Amino acid sequence: MHFHGYLYRGPGEAIKPFDDARRAGTAEFQTATVPPEATSAWLARPARMIQGTWDDPADAVTWLSQQHTEIAGSRMHLEQQREAPPLEAMTSNALDALTRGNDVVWAWWLRGGNFVDLTVACCPNRDGDGRCPIGRADSRPEAASRRPGESSAG
């Protein structure tokens, strides 16, 4: 298993519910830059949309942290985010999630009506069709293939 990072930073108004640009299998989906409805659907987008690929989940979390730092001062309602988890807790949770085979999405509204979506998708993904956008043929470790709450005893 490896990890692909995706970034959307643009007008929040472009992210519309039930929009064909966000739904895999539509013509608009392949050229859209807005986040898809399902996190795993990022993997169905063209490889040129990938911002980074990592074998180690810690490297993917480092990328998330760097992106977070870059936009930290641009987020809306900073005064209301004092109660939000600190970056250290967010990175710890993200590392745990990726290690278990779960995708991670961090998203915030930015000043000026923009929106940022940072996604790290596990590849292959338990919710996708198994194809890697860059053609890698990794497999998922058994523990990462189970859905949360499932046991290996079946």
Side-chain angles (χ1 to χ4, degrees):
M1 182 169 63
H2 58 278
F3 309 91
H4 296 297
Y6 297 91
L7 167 69
Y8 170 78
R9 184 175 182 163
E13 65 200 27
I15 304 170
K16 301 174 184 138
F18 312 110
D19 186 19
D20 282 349
R22 299 188 64 213
R23 199 171 22 251
T26 64
E28 295 89 343
F29 180 80
Q30 289 300 312
T31 57
T33 59
V34 295
E37 289 178 335
T39 303
S40 61
W42 274 115
L43 300 172
R45 292 255 170 92
R48 71 181 182 290
M49 294 186 175
I50 298 171
Q51 300 293 306
T53 298
W54 308 275
D55 291 318
D56 185 338
D59 294 334
V61 171
T62 296
W63 176 77
L64 282 169
S65 180
Q66 290 168 341
Q67 298 303 312
H68 175 275
T69 300
E70 285 183 21
I71 60 102
S74 301
R75 292 183 304 180
M76 284 183 62
H77 311 298
L78 288 174
E79 68 284 352
Q80 295 173 354
Q81 294 180 29
R82 287 190 199 116
E83 303 297 321
L87 181 58
E88 296 78 26
M90 292 172 53
T91 57
S92 177
N93 289 339
L95 181 59
D96 180 61
L98 292 172
T99 301
R100 294 172 187 264
N102 296 310
D103 303 331
V104 172
V105 178
W106 292 356
W108 294 274
W109 282 97
L110 305 177
R111 287 189 298 248
N114 284 332
F115 186 78
V116 66
D117 178 291
L118 306 169
T119 297
V120 175
C122 300
C123 187
N125 197 285
R126 68 169 54 109
D127 295 326
D129 64 10
R131 288 180 291 180
C132 173
I134 60 172
R136 286 185 53 175
D138 295 10
S139 62
R140 288 179 64 83
E142 182 182 335
S145 295
R146 292 191 301 267
R147 293 192 183 276
E150 289 181 345
S151 70
S152 59

